[in-house]
Amino acid sequence: MIVFSVPDMVSCRSMGAITKSVKAVDHEATVRIDMVRHVVAIESDSPAPALKRAIDRAGFTARNAWPAPVPFDGTVDVLLPLGE
């Protein structure tokens, strides 16, 4: 699993853009997004630099965040903040 911190990801639209861009690189990739912690975790056969470029091409700033700051067990793909 490749994990990135994406601090400028702030909406569901951001999630869609990032997922679409990553899937353009590897359509078999599994993309898990935690909106609360601004974390994108990707399971892919593509190299990390290619996935980082995909996130950057979507208009966001991807930073390496390994080890994963949030454990993903596969049961939750998207975590959204509750109303403020």
Side-chain angles (χ1 to χ4, degrees):
M1 183 176 299
I2 301 165
V3 181
F4 297 101
S5 170
V6 185
D8 49 355
M9 176 180 60
V10 295
S11 68
C12 290
R13 186 172 293 170
S14 304
M15 290 183 338
I18 289 170
T19 300
K20 183 177 179 180
S21 189
V22 169
K23 294 276 189 174
V25 172
D26 177 2
H27 69 280
E28 295 292 322
T30 300
V31 181
R32 294 187 173 106
I33 297 176
D34 181 335
M35 289 291 294
V36 174
R37 292 182 180 88
H38 304 279
V39 172
V40 176
I42 305 166
E43 291 181 32
S44 173
D45 292 330
S46 297
L51 298 172
K52 180 186 182 310
R53 281 191 303 275
I55 295 170
D56 292 343
R57 271 194 310 272
F60 301 92
T61 306
R63 299 181 183 139
N64 293 337
W66 191 259
V70 179
F72 289 106
D73 63 3
T75 59
V76 177
D77 286 336
V78 178
L79 299 175
L80 299 172
L82 298 176
E84 299 188 4

